[in-house]
């Protein structure tokens, strides 16, 4: 049976409720088969794939043949399936096409617009962290850090989140690994406060952290707690754009939506972003240095 016949048959023996509104139904089913695999799965049996996708086993068998010919799926000697080597090649192509700035800056701008505070992205560089990207607050008095600035690793919300997901032991790092965020008030600088969350790449590799921060005249614990959900949503968006599953960040997000910041005035709370990475930044921006992220 040719590929076309397999696709036609696969489309016809699917439950009507699963038919997509548009697109190619068989392709949607094939994608569903690949999506059934998670990072924890070395392989899946036919029954497991059927349970996760809701597809008939006969449909899975036919589409699996096409996926195997394209090396997107492999069948093992015991009859189980695993993701094929062609997916690695496609993932590598996607990674090479990515420009981190193009992913991060729009997300950071959205977060800054939502909070009216500064946002930064830090990456780890050995025992320090480097500000790779930043977006300024709209307030005349604000938390400011320059792209390329280097800060300590084990102080501030950004540094502590980087350390936690780099394997630092003890508290607060154990708790950070459970909550995927950390609020810091006066940790590095008594005048500032912030909240940070990690951003991951393929294989759950830690890429850096997003930090919302600002002067403690506007930013207090209540405000940072309300901004936990928007921050985790931003970190999840970035993680997905870099090609990694972000369900752990979704699960860590509070159920209650934050109150909107509709009239951000001079006396309102502020947020910031911090992260660490190598200072391979083309342009350093001027500004004051108040940072607890």
């Amino acid at each position: 049976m040719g590929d076309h016949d397999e696709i036609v048959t696969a489309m016809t023996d699917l439950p009507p409720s699963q038919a997509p509104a548009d697109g190619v139904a068989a392709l949607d089913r094939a994608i569903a088969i690949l999506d059934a695999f998670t990072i924890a799965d070395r392989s899946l049996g036919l029954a497991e794939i059927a349970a996760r996708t809701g597809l008939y086993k006969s449909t899975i068998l036919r589409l699996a043949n096409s996926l195997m010919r394209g090396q997107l799926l492999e069948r093992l000697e015991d009859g189980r399936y695993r993701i094929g080597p062609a997916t690695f090649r496609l993932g590598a192509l996607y990674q090479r096409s990515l420009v981190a700035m193009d992913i991060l800056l729009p997300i950071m701008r959205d977060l800054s617009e939502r909070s009216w505070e500064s946002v930064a992205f830090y990456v780890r560089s050995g025992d320090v962290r480097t500000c790779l990207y930043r977006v300024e607050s709209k307030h005349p008095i604000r938390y400011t850090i320059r792209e390329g600035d280097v800060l300590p690793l084990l102080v501030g919300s950004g540094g502590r989140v980087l350390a936690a997901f780099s394997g630092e032991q003890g508290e607060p790092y154990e708790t950070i690994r459970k909550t995927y965020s950390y609020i810091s008030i006066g940790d590095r600088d008594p005048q500032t406060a912030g909240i940070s969350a990690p951003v991951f790449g393929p294989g759950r590799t830690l890429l850096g952290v997003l930090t919302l921060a600002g002067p403690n005249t506007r930013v207090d614990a209540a405000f940072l707690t309300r901004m936990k959900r928007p921050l985790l949503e931003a970190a999840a968006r970035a993680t997905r754009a870099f090609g990694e599953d972000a369900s752990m960040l979704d699960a860590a997000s509070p159920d209650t939506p934050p109150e909107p910041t509709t009239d951000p005035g001079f006396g309102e709370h502020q947020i910031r972003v911090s992260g660490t990475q190598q200072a391979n930044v083309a342009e350093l921006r001027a500004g004051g240095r108040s940072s607890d992220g």
Side-chain angles (χ1 to χ4, degrees):
M1 182 182 290
D3 286 356
H4 178 267
D5 293 334
E6 291 174 4
I7 290 174
V8 170
T9 305
M11 291 174 64
T12 57
D13 70 357
L14 289 172
S17 61
Q18 292 185 344
D22 54 15
V24 179
L27 183 57
D28 289 335
R29 278 32 174 198
I31 293 171
I33 291 171
L34 296 176
D35 281 345
F37 291 83
T38 70
I39 194 170
D41 299 318
R42 295 180 63 88
S43 63
L44 290 176
L46 180 61
E48 291 173 298
I49 297 174
R52 294 185 184 187
T53 62
L55 301 178
Y56 294 137
K57 291 181 181 179
S58 57
T59 298
I60 295 170
L61 289 171
R62 281 188 288 271
L63 291 177
N65 287 333
S66 294
L67 291 170
M68 287 188 291
R69 279 193 288 275
Q71 295 189 315
L72 295 168
L73 201 66
E74 289 184 334
R75 187 171 184 178
L76 306 177
E77 291 183 358
D78 60 2
R80 294 172 66 83
Y81 294 91
R82 71 181 178 193
I83 294 295
T87 58
F88 182 84
R89 181 180 64 84
L90 293 174
L93 289 172
Y94 176 69
Q95 282 186 279
R96 285 197 293 269
S97 71
L98 287 179
V99 177
M101 181 174 64
D102 294 340
I103 289 175
L104 291 168
L105 283 181
I107 294 171
M108 292 167 64
R109 290 189 189 107
D110 288 347
L111 189 57
S112 182
E113 286 286 336
R114 187 167 183 177
S115 64
W116 277 66
E117 297 299 343
S118 300
V119 174
F121 182 78
Y122 288 86
V123 294
R124 180 170 183 170
S125 303
D127 293 332
V128 296
R129 54 191 169 113
T130 304
C131 178
L132 190 62
Y133 305 115
R134 61 184 268 282
V135 175
E136 286 278 21
S137 165
K138 296 180 181 298
H139 292 291
I141 296 178
R142 58 191 176 230
Y143 147 75
T144 305
I145 195 103
R146 293 191 297 249
E147 291 175 349
D149 279 357
V150 175
L151 298 175
L153 182 64
L154 297 181
V155 290
S157 64
R160 291 189 184 276
V161 172
L162 283 169
F165 289 97
S166 297
E168 193 74 19
Q169 298 302 304
E171 290 295 345
Y173 308 106
E174 301 294 341
T175 299
I176 293 171
R177 283 189 284 272
K178 296 176 182 177
T179 62
Y180 289 89
S181 65
Y182 185 71
I183 290 175
S184 171
I185 299 176
D187 189 13
R188 199 188 80 83
D189 185 318
Q191 304 298 319
T192 58
I195 181 171
S196 297
V199 173
F200 299 98
R204 202 162 289 189
T205 301
L206 177 65
L207 300 182
V209 297
L210 284 173
T211 302
L212 269 160
N216 59 16
T217 54
R218 285 197 308 269
V219 177
D220 60 11
F223 177 67
L224 293 174
T225 299
R226 291 199 303 272
M227 294 311 301
K228 179 179 178 181
R229 179 171 177 168
L231 176 66
L232 286 168
E233 289 173 349
R237 277 180 62 194
T239 294
R240 289 191 182 94
F242 281 115
E244 177 56 30
D245 174 61
S247 58
M248 66 288 189
L249 292 164
D250 293 331
S253 183
D255 293 333
T256 304
E259 298 174 9
T261 304
T262 56
D263 184 22
F266 184 78
E268 295 212 6
H269 306 293
Q270 162 176 334
I271 308 176
R272 96 168 172 166
V273 235
S274 79
T276 61
Q277 177 166 350
Q278 302 166 354
N280 183 17
V281 181
E283 186 177 346
L284 297 178
R285 300 184 185 177
R289 298 188 180 215
S290 170
S291 167
D292 209 84

